[in-house]
Amino acid sequence: MTKRALISVSDKNGILEFAKELVALGYEVLSTGGTKKLLQDNNVPVTAVDEVTKFPEILDGRVKTLNPMIHGGLLGKFDEPSHVAQMEQHGIEPIEIVCVNLYPFVETISKPNVSWDDAIENIDIGGPTMLRSAAKNHDYVTVIVDSTDYATVLEELKADGKTTLETRRRLAAKVFRHTAAYDSYISNHLTSAIGEDFPENLTLTYELKQTLRYGENPHQKAAFYAKRLGSDFSIAYATQLHGKELSYNNIQDANAALQIVKEFEMPAAVAVKHMNPCGVGTGVTIEEAFDKAYEADSTSIFGGIIALNMEVDKATAEKLSGIFLEIIIAPSFTAEALEILQAKKNIRLLTIDFAQAKQDEFNVVSVEGGLLVQEPDRFGFGNADIKVVTDREPTEEEWEALQLGWAVVKHVKSNAIVVTDKQMTLGVGAGQMNRVGAAKIAFEQAGEKAKGATLASDAFFPMADTVEAAIAAGITAIIQPGGSIKDQDSIDAANKAGITMVFTGVRHFKH
């Protein structure tokens, strides 16, 4: 019985060497299209699939391997007498090795303004069918979808004349992962193209970026997966210039810092600890913005993550190098800044394409047994139906401070209170079980700077107690969603004290 291998690949990496080795081991190579031509041009003996099927490729190549002469050879059990008899009756020869990878659908839809027709024409039908047939019959057939597996297969063939069952099972599992991912890219692209947000079935595909030393704690295993067609403004697609690999907690905190810093057009610096901002600063220069972020909480910034939305220059780098930081993220670093910061052995330096900062995608959060999916909180100050509900209107300086507070508070864990002036956060109260508790933490951090400052709340005040606490701390302007049945109590308290309060109409819960 002739040993047969079927090879049809879009990724030609390593395929010539692999095919030559199979021929040397006594295999007849079957192939189609561009792969067949490549082998022929390089003097590798090859048999056209249509010679086996006795049927020509038709419909612009849409139908070529969908034939019993191929799939009978892939699905027949080589040691089952009834299968062997039927294969002999119909002249079907077994195919022992299948090496196939698929039409470049993902690469096609990654192109700007790809048409519907181009996407459809790059959906592979015959390839996945052959892969699935061979993978199902892995007791007998070795199936390869990844060029990194060529060496292992050849090594086993040379040693024993066949691959091990363990290897065939591993490769079969890899194939089904591959075809499942391929189908998910197709289904998600078509679903998005027709404008459906929440289909009856949701299949998400991520590719392993790195295994991590551990998760949130050393006793937890963890890995980092990247969404291939996800937003480029992502830690998954950042370039690491220096430092040891990122940890699970680093990635969480870095993502939180990016989501905050993307809110700002002016130079801005964001310091994050445990996924909450401990300091946010803005300025005319990135150095000034970092100065403000550091001043906001010079204690908590220790061991934190810093995101800056402008290039890091020498002066800023000198200040950054003076404190212990886990990560610095920026669009770029000058050569002088990089030299200064790389002198610190363990600090991670990341660059990211801030031109893509306006990209966003649905948020996906796992819960036991399921997923929660929602659109991102895109609501900003410019979207709000601003209503000044007190007798006094904010001053120009208060308006600037209120806008800063409203941009930051939506990224703070609820219940959230943020105290700001027009350039920086002064106090952050995060993740408290009641709003007064969050406010007290923010006021304690702000101290005397709370006098004349503004306050942002992620949700409405159910009573006047938070307003009263703000007045006592010296706050002069408040921004909050409004919507409580007791809003008037808060408005009356603000009017009595002569402070101003603004309603936005939308809350910013973050759990």
Side-chain angles (χ1 to χ4, degrees):
M1 182 176 67
T2 304
K3 296 186 293 185
R4 279 182 158 181
L6 193 157
I7 301 177
S8 180
V9 293
S10 59
D11 175 11
K12 305 295 193 293
N13 181 43
I15 199 61
L16 274 176
E17 294 77 10
F18 183 63
K20 288 177 181 177
E21 292 279 9
L22 289 179
V23 170
L25 289 168
Y27 282 85
E28 177 188 6
V29 174
L30 315 181
S31 192
T32 65
T35 305
K36 183 187 70 165
K37 184 177 186 304
L38 176 68
L39 298 177
Q40 289 174 331
D41 289 348
N42 287 274
N43 300 314
V44 179
V46 60
T47 301
V49 162
D50 57 15
E51 292 180 37
V52 176
T53 63
K54 308 300 185 207
F55 199 92
E57 294 183 14
I58 61 172
L59 308 179
D60 297 322
R62 283 187 170 199
V63 177
K64 48 195 172 190
T65 58
L66 298 170
N67 187 287
M69 301 301 289
I70 298 299
H71 287 276
L74 296 177
L75 286 165
K77 296 181 179 180
F78 299 175
D79 58 3
E80 172 64 42
S82 64
H83 284 209
V84 172
Q86 290 177 62
M87 292 171 74
E88 289 179 349
Q89 177 186 354
H90 296 288
I92 297 172
E93 294 188 40
I95 299 172
E96 295 182 26
I97 295 176
V98 172
C99 179
V100 169
N101 48 58
L102 308 176
Y103 291 175
F105 179 80
V106 177
E107 291 78 5
T108 299
I109 63 173
S110 298
K111 297 174 183 175
N113 305 314
V114 62
S115 71
W116 178 275
D117 288 344
D118 282 346
I120 296 301
E121 284 306 311
N122 277 278
I123 296 174
D124 201 330
I125 301 300
T129 307
M130 286 190 291
L131 287 173
R132 290 171 60 84
S133 293
K136 176 176 179 175
N137 205 29
H138 64 265
D139 278 350
Y140 308 94
V141 181
T142 303
V143 58
I144 310 157
V145 75
D146 184 347
S147 61
T148 62
D149 293 311
Y150 294 165
T152 298
V153 169
L154 289 172
E155 183 180 334
E156 292 186 6
L157 290 175
K158 289 176 181 178
D160 300 314
K162 61 180 181 179
T163 55
T164 64
L165 178 59
E166 179 184 10
T167 292
R168 292 196 299 275
R169 285 179 174 173
R170 179 180 63 81
L171 294 176
K174 191 172 193 177
V175 161
F176 283 116
R177 292 195 300 272
H178 183 75
T179 57
Y182 191 79
D183 282 342
S184 78
Y185 287 123
I186 296 168
S187 65
N188 289 337
H189 178 74
L190 299 187
T191 299
S192 175
I194 63 173
E196 190 162 354
D197 290 333
F198 301 111
E200 71 285 353
N201 290 292
L202 179 65
T203 304
L204 304 176
T205 295
Y206 295 83
E207 298 177 357
L208 182 64
K209 182 176 177 66
Q210 68 184 92
T211 55
L212 302 173
R213 285 174 295 160
Y214 54 83
E216 284 182 293
N217 300 289
H219 60 276
Q220 294 171 273
K221 294 180 180 178
F224 184 26
Y225 285 81
K227 188 176 180 182
R228 186 172 180 186
L229 298 178
S231 169
D232 292 334
F233 188 72
S234 163
I235 294 301
Y237 295 105
T239 299
Q240 185 164 349
L241 304 178
H242 179 70
K244 58 187 180 182
E245 70 178 28
L246 300 176
S247 71
Y248 183 100
N249 294 332
N250 288 157
I251 293 166
Q252 290 268 53
D253 285 340
N255 178 64
L258 280 180
Q259 299 313 308
I260 302 169
V261 81
K262 74 187 288 188
E263 297 281 347
F264 298 95
E265 298 291 339
M266 68 184 76
V270 174
V272 163
K273 286 288 287 289
H274 305 299
M275 295 182 67
N276 277 305
C278 58
V280 177
T282 61
V284 176
T285 65
I286 199 65
E287 180 186 3
E288 183 183 2
F290 171 71
D291 287 342
K292 295 295 184 182
Y294 178 78
E295 183 185 344
D297 189 344
S298 58
T299 300
S300 297
I301 199 172
F302 182 86
I305 278 77
I306 300 289
L308 308 107
N309 64 354
M310 302 287 172
E311 182 174 66
V312 176
D313 55 20
K314 178 183 177 182
T316 308
E318 287 173 341
K319 292 179 177 178
L320 289 164
S321 69
I323 55 178
F324 170 61
L325 297 171
E326 291 276 1
I327 302 173
I328 301 172
I329 311 166
S332 58
F333 298 80
T334 66
E336 290 176 315
L338 201 57
E339 182 178 359
I340 291 166
L341 293 169
Q342 285 179 330
K344 298 174 73 73
K345 180 179 178 182
N346 291 324
I347 193 170
R348 291 91 160 174
L349 304 178
L350 305 180
T351 58
I352 198 164
D353 184 4
F354 273 69
Q356 306 301 321
K358 295 304 180 185
Q359 289 185 352
D360 56 28
E361 52 195 41
F362 274 43
N363 303 140
V364 179
V365 178
S366 64
V367 296
E368 192 78 19
L371 291 174
L372 290 169
V373 181
Q374 69 170 353
E375 64 177 341
D377 184 356
R378 303 184 183 96
F379 192 91
F381 195 85
N383 309 114
D385 182 18
I386 298 294
K387 294 179 180 177
V388 179
V389 294
T390 50
D391 296 337
R392 184 171 77 79
E393 295 247 353
T395 65
E396 183 176 342
E397 190 165 304
E398 285 172 335
W399 275 122
E400 291 182 47
L402 290 171
Q403 290 184 57
L404 174 60
W406 191 242
V408 173
V409 77
K410 80 183 207 183
H411 298 282
V412 178
K413 298 287 187 180
S414 301
N415 287 315
I417 296 290
V418 175
V419 176
T420 67
D421 64 19
K422 68 178 184 177
Q423 280 193 297
M424 60 187 281
T425 56
L426 304 172
V428 179
Q432 298 306 298
M433 285 64 72
N434 66 76
R435 198 154 300 281
V436 175
K440 286 180 178 178
I441 291 171
F443 298 148
E444 182 179 352
Q445 183 185 350
E448 288 298 308
K449 292 180 181 178
K451 290 181 170 60
T454 66
L455 178 150
S457 173
D458 65 327
F460 63 63
F461 302 141
M463 299 172 219
D465 49 7
T466 306
V467 175
E468 290 164 354
I471 293 166
I475 296 295
T476 63
I478 294 173
I479 187 167
Q480 57 127 324
S484 169
I485 60 174
K486 294 186 177 181
D487 273 346
Q488 194 58 50
D489 292 349
S490 294
I491 294 169
D492 290 344
N495 281 330
K496 184 177 179 181
I499 73 170
T500 182
M501 186 156 60
V502 171
F503 283 5
T504 65
V506 172
R507 74 184 188 197
H508 277 317
F509 275 171
K510 185 176 178 63
H511 284 82

